[in-house]
Amino acid sequence: MLAGRLHLTDRALRMESVPVPEPASGQVRVRVEAAGVCLSDVHLIDGTLTPLYLPGDVVTLGHEVAGVVDAFGDDVEGWAPGQRVLLQAGERDRRGTVLTRGVDYDGGWAEYAVASQDTVVPIPDDLSFEQACIIPDAVSTPWAAVTDTGRTRPGEAVGVWGVGGLGVHAVQLLRLVGAAPVIAVEPLAAARDRAAAVGADAVLDPADPAFRDAVLELTAGRGLDVAFDFAGVTAVREQALTVLGRRGRLVLAGIANKPVTIASDSPFNYFQQAVLGHYGSEAEHVEQLVSLARQGRLDLSASISDVLPLADAEEAVRRVHTKQGNPIRLILRP
């Protein structure tokens, strides 16, 4: 079968012919119908990210995967060939270590993928494979940030810094939980337009000298209840802290690998504010989102920017890296 394989020794993505994997005991084999191309995949190729637990130096990329059950190993129950499914973006090993699909073990940039049966999630017939595959990570990461880490409540004023592949979904999901107003903060005009199109109540340029005044006006002077950093930029954290209100929470969903600085602890303590770290999502978040899609509460059709053949994975990576066409998600189809 064809697979997009990352060779870590020279950080090269190569489209190669490899054997179709056989499911081991407790595993399900899935015929891949759609696989998302994430910025994390780009960072694995360019060396910004490196697998921590990969046993070798070659891995099939792709942690956003949907398809059809094809076969299964011994001790598998509840699955039948032909079932439509998505795969969780990772799993825990026997020691409790979180392993990521397409990073620490082979992922879904391939014609077939194997997965532990407890990481396979059924999807409804009316949810397309293209939309289903991006739920793990692109949608579940902001959903977990909004609902669990940020504990966003209806009527709370929120700001979203960075409306790329994660932040644009955060805007949609914040509306879903009843946050108001939802303010998108983004330096790129095209991205601000995209945020407005998916439901942001206001879009602001962080470089605007009147930025703080605009936030206070939009929140009736109280400031933000929750600020989400999906950009992973030090300046974002610093700016967000200046517009937090009483008991405001700053959620760090983006990773900057830089110190987080609080300019003065006096106002921070007086207003009882908090800085919260966030990473990824849990299995229940993916299941919640599938349920919301099944009930017609979540439409991800606008998130699918283009669909390319698996053989064109290198072109998809280039387009994500250069932001050609301002994509939300590009999808590979074997």
Side-chain angles (χ1 to χ4, degrees):
M1 69 173 186
L2 183 66
R5 305 274 282 168
L6 172 62
H7 293 254
L8 291 167
T9 52
D10 55 358
R11 294 287 173 171
L13 172 64
R14 300 190 179 103
M15 304 308 296
E16 300 176 339
S17 179
V18 300
V20 174
E22 291 297 329
S25 178
Q27 287 188 328
V28 174
R29 185 171 70 198
V30 171
R31 185 180 76 245
V32 177
E33 296 289 346
V37 181
C38 177
L39 189 59
S40 297
D41 298 312
V42 177
H43 289 330
L44 284 164
I45 296 168
D46 68 20
T48 305
L49 296 177
T50 296
L52 294 178
Y53 305 109
L54 181 68
D57 58 6
V58 183
V59 65
T60 299
L61 294 176
H63 56 275
E64 298 180 342
V65 188
V68 174
V69 172
D70 173 71
F72 36 83
D74 296 334
D75 301 320
V76 172
E77 297 180 354
W79 298 104
Q83 284 183 280
R84 304 174 80 255
V85 298
L86 62 75
L87 304 183
Q88 297 277 7
E91 60 185 82
R92 295 182 187 273
D93 67 12
R94 295 177 181 176
R95 297 169 296 179
T97 303
V98 177
L99 305 178
T100 302
R101 189 181 311 281
V103 179
D104 300 306
Y105 60 100
D106 284 343
W109 287 13
E111 295 179 64
Y112 294 89
V114 294
S116 299
Q117 62 177 327
D118 57 358
T119 67
V120 182
V121 180
I123 59 174
D125 291 342
D126 57 355
L127 178 63
S128 73
F129 291 115
E130 291 79 12
Q131 292 184 46
C133 79
I134 69 170
I135 288 178
D137 190 25
V139 190
S140 64
T141 293
W143 178 246
V146 165
T147 59
D148 271 6
T149 304
R151 297 193 179 279
T152 312
R153 296 185 292 272
E156 287 194 313
V158 299
V160 177
W161 273 257
V163 286
L166 296 180
V168 71
H169 293 121
V171 170
Q172 294 172 267
L173 298 167
L174 285 161
R175 286 184 60 90
L176 187 61
V177 301
V182 177
I183 303 168
V185 185
E186 171 61 59
L188 299 177
R192 289 198 297 272
D193 291 342
R194 181 168 65 192
V198 298
D201 297 299
V203 292
L204 300 178
D205 184 342
D208 186 341
F211 173 82
R212 187 171 186 276
D213 291 339
V215 172
L216 292 177
E217 181 177 355
L218 288 163
T219 60
R222 74 178 191 268
L224 298 177
D225 295 298
V226 198
F228 294 92
D229 169 24
F230 285 100
V233 176
T234 298
V236 164
R237 287 98 184 261
E238 295 173 347
Q239 184 176 58
L241 285 167
T242 68
V243 290
L244 278 186
R246 180 173 294 277
R247 298 184 182 275
R249 291 94 72 196
L250 170 59
V251 178
L252 307 183
I255 298 174
N257 288 319
K258 301 289 184 180
V260 177
T261 303
I262 297 171
S264 173
D265 60 358
S266 295
F268 187 83
N269 291 350
Y270 178 76
F271 291 115
Q272 300 178 353
Q273 295 167 339
V275 177
L276 304 169
H278 178 78
Y279 184 81
S281 62
E282 299 293 336
E284 65 262 24
H285 297 118
V286 170
E287 292 164 2
Q288 289 164 3
L289 289 163
V290 170
S291 177
L292 287 167
R294 179 182 289 112
Q295 297 176 65
R297 299 294 183 90
L298 184 64
D299 180 7
L300 299 172
S301 56
S303 299
I304 311 306
S305 303
D306 200 1
V307 179
L308 291 80
L310 173 62
D312 291 346
E314 292 176 87
E315 170 64 12
V317 168
R318 184 194 67 78
R319 287 170 58 176
V320 171
H321 178 68
T322 62
K323 295 181 170 56
Q324 180 182 331
N326 194 26
I328 296 176
R329 265 301 186 268
L330 299 180
I331 306 298
L332 297 175
R333 179 183 293 159

